[in-house]
């Protein structure tokens, strides 16, 4: 991939070349593994799901946008629920599982799941009349959810580490510092810590957008981290924008491209990056990622599961339209970060 440097006012770098996914990734032949045709209630777009192994099953919570009104407008968004015995074939429950709407809240979306000490925690984004907030809830049955904390605006893409580190819960997150970044989308990945999941602090920067060669726009967490002997392995989403791109997807102008990267963080000191993939792990390439979708050229991982045989399942939303699965071997993912 060639980076073309430009003056610092417009874009710092323009990324024109075609991106390709790492050869260590295999897209599942059943892709898309979940789409609106599997949903027994109103549904147009099924994507950006969180996935975990919980109580002996795979569980998926997915974003469902329904009733397409016009261009990018949908009547609503809810969070659907599905279970699976193999992580590939899903049994979608007959109604959505989490609805936060009230006068202030427009919708909750993009859920992420992390099991900690036998309980399932769900991070989610919330569009409110006064900005975008990041929420954390806990559930034992996907019927009752207890909301534990909500950030101030604007923050989202929160993901939790699966255990306490140095006696604190830890999350990755993506605030939106628009004013202080010249009004541009130049957003980075941060981390904060909590003694109790409710009060969060000790914030620190983990990865700046300028450190990702395949992003000139914004980055943020993707699937929650998994623990490996070498460190915490975690995906992130990386966006590049090219103002020469024309119509792309259902919107008049969709000039962004979302790819997925991966990095390895220190086990005891997760602010420390041990290695990062220099090229995208998954880039939008195949038909369900680049054609016919709502917003094409979008890869957005939301779930990552390490199996006993070393296979890693990476679940990702494609083109903001369908949910997909890619697999890789854990050793190859670690090598890619440490190369
Ligand atoms: C982001 C979020 C995601 C979405 C992505 C691409 O800002 O809204 O839910 O997948 O844009 O449209």
């Amino acid at each position: 991939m060639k980076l073309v440097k430009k003056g610092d006012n417009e874009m710092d770098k323009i990324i024109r070349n075609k991106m390709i996914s790492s050869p260590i990734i295999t897209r599942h032949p059943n892709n898309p593994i979940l789409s609106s045709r599997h949903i027994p209630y109103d549904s147009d777009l099924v994507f950006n799901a969180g996935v975990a192994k919980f109580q002996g099953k795979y569980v998926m919570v997915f974003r469902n946008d329904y009733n397409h009104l016009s261009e990018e407008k949908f009547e609503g968004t809810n969070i659907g629920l599905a279970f699976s015995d193999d992580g590939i074939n899903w049994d979608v429950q007959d109604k959505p599982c989490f609805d936060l709407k009230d006068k202030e809240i427009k919708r909750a979306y993009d859920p992420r799941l992390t099991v900690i000490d036998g309980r399932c925690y769900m991070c989610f984004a919330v569009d409110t009349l006064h900005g975008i907030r990041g929420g954390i809830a806990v559930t034992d049955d996907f019927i009752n959810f207890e909301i534990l904390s909500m950030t101030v605006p604007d923050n989202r893409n929160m993901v939790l580490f699966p255990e306490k580190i140095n006696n604190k819960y830890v999350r990755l997150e993506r605030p939106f510092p628009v004013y202080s970044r010249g009004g541009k989308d130049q957003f980075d990945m941060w981390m904060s810590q909590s003694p109790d999941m409710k009060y969060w602090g000790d914030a620190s920067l983990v990865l700046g957008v300028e450190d990702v060669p395949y992003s000139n726009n914004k980055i943020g967490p993707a699937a929650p981290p998994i623990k490996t002997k070498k460190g915490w392995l975690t995906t992130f989403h990386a966006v590049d924008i090219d103002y020469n791109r024309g119509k792309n997807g259902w919107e008049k102008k969709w000039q962004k491209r979302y790819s997925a990267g991966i990095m390895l963080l220190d086990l005891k000191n997760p602010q420390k990056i041990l290695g990062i993939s220099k090229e995208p792990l998954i880039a939008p390439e195949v038909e369900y990622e680049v054609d016919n979708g709502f917003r094409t050229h979008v890869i957005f991982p939301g779930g990552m599961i390490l199996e006993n045989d070393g296979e890693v399942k990476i679940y990702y939303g494609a083109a903001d339209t369908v949910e997909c699965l890619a697999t890789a071997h854990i050793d190859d993912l670690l090598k890619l970060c440490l190369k």
Side-chain angles (χ1 to χ4, degrees), residues 47-48 63 109-110 156 218 254 258 295 298 300 320:
F47 63 114
N48 293 3
R63 169 170 171 183
Y109 57 102
D110 289 6
R156 74 165 165 215
K218 57 181 174 177
W254 174 247
Y258 279 62
R295 287 172 164 172
V298 178
F300 207 128
D320 280 8

Side-chain angles (χ1 to χ4, degrees), residues 47-48 63 65 107 109-110 112 125 127 132 156-157 174 176 185 218 237 239 251 254 256 258 294-300 317 319-321:
F47 63 114
N48 293 3
R63 169 170 171 183
D65 286 10
R107 59 175 185 167
Y109 57 102
D110 289 6
R112 307 278 177 261
D127 286 354
I132 298 173
R156 74 165 165 215
N157 293 310
R174 214 290 302 286
F176 304 49
D185 286 9
K218 57 181 174 177
H237 68 271
V239 183
E251 284 188 81
W254 174 247
K256 293 177 191 168
Y258 279 62
F294 169 54
R295 287 172 164 172
T296 64
H297 300 84
V298 178
I299 300 285
F300 207 128
D320 280 8
T321 305

Side-chain angles (χ1 to χ4, degrees), residues 69 136 162 167 184 216 287:
L69 300 173
I136 304 175
N167 217 21
K184 291 188 289 177
N216 63 7
E287 170 255 325

